[in-house]
Amino acid sequence: MIEIVEVGPRDGLQNEKRTLTPEQRFEFIKHLSASGLKRIEVGAFVSPKWVPQMEGSLQLVTEIYRRRDEFAKTVQFSALVPNVKGMLDALTTPLKEVAIFGACTESFSKKNINCTIAESFERFEQVIAMARKHKRKVRAYLSVAFGCPYEGAVPEKRVIDLILKLAKLGVHEISIGDTIGVATPKQVRSLLKKLKSRLPLTKVAMHFHDTRGTALANVLASLEAGVEVFDSSFGGLGGCPYAKGASGNLATDDLVYMLEGMGLKTGVDLNKLLSYSARMQEEIGHKLPSRTAEAGVPRLVT
Ligand code: HMG
Ligand code: MG
């Protein structure tokens, strides 16, 4: 079984021009759960001045737990937390998992969370200590691992050092992000080959953006290296507001299509998942980039 971490309600919607209401986001998440997705990142406890699209995440998460019986029992929710303030919000809810997020370059760190990499690790330690005390799991993202919109190429050694540093903090999983969709399979293979001897790849998730059409090729390279957790976004919604050109998260629909076609189980009902595409297109006011949403599911794989 391959684990998919659905990031559409967060990474997807945070980059849309139209802000969806917490009620619209709630219905979307209900649909994702009903389609068989087991891990869903539902929002972000970040500053609404920085990312207005995520405003109301506290209200949304509270509502999800108030109406928990409307979601599959097995589904696990998480949300982004950048600092102590965000963690204090998360702790007012029963959320069992939060995600911290850092970057491989100083420029991206500054643009995204307004601090240096060293300062971000100080914040992570504070958040992790709070999470540990309250028995919440912590996932970590590491952005711009294959290239930065401000600094260009990122040294592989620096990426590995940061991944190991995050692992040392005690997070349960590290999601390695190709934030601007520049990675190629050669880079992915090389990074994972070197990482493998230092960290079990069961602790790693890959987070690809399909900005230049290489996301599925990068998934394949990661699968071959032994990675079993992938982040993706319904319909290919989204990107990152602090990375110009980062549109196009890998679409969950395209990922599920490829994995199931390869005989790898995801637990996702693809036709059910796609039945929300038209509604989402109407809500965000434009076409979704997913190829599978556009072309449909052929009979041979249903
Ligand atoms: P800051 O301005 O340096 O924060 O922002 P501050 O501590 O100086 O506080 C300034 C104001 O923000 C204060 O309010 C605080 O209360 C408030 P004021 O007094 O001015 O009214 N504030 C908050 N409000 C709500 N929630 C909070 C919070 N913290 C402070 N948690 C901060 C620092 C980290 C808050 C800001 O930079 C921020 O929110 N950044 C988030 C950016 C973001 O969400 N980016 C997108 C996610 S990352 C991504 O997409 C990449 C990923 O997908 C992986 C990949 O693709 O690579 C994960
Ligand atoms: Mg992302």
Side-chain angles (χ1 to χ4, degrees), residues 7 10-11 14 141 143 177-179 207-209 231 239-240 246 249:
V7 296
R10 194 277 305 169
D11 204 359
Q14 77 179 11
Y141 284 99
S143 289
D178 180 21
T179 315
H207 180 109
F208 293 118
H209 285 237
D231 301 351
C240 173
N249 272 84

Side-chain angles (χ1 to χ4, degrees), residues 7 10-11 14 41 44-51 54 80-87 89 100-102 108 110-115 123 141-145 175-180 207 209 231 239-242 249:
V7 296
R10 194 277 305 169
D11 204 359
Q14 77 179 11
E41 194 169 77
F45 297 115
V46 298
S47 163
K49 284 186 193 139
W50 286 64
V51 188
M54 289 294 102
L80 284 194
V81 162
N83 55 13
V84 168
K85 179 163 172 36
M87 190 64 198
D89 280 349
I100 54 174
F101 50 110
F108 193 84
K110 196 79 193 157
K111 292 265 188 214
N112 197 35
I113 45 177
N114 203 22
C115 66
R123 290 185 191 171
Y141 284 99
L142 187 61
S143 289
V144 294
S175 174
I176 305 173
D178 180 21
T179 315
I180 54 167
H207 180 109
H209 285 237
D231 301 351
C240 173
Y242 296 103
N249 272 84

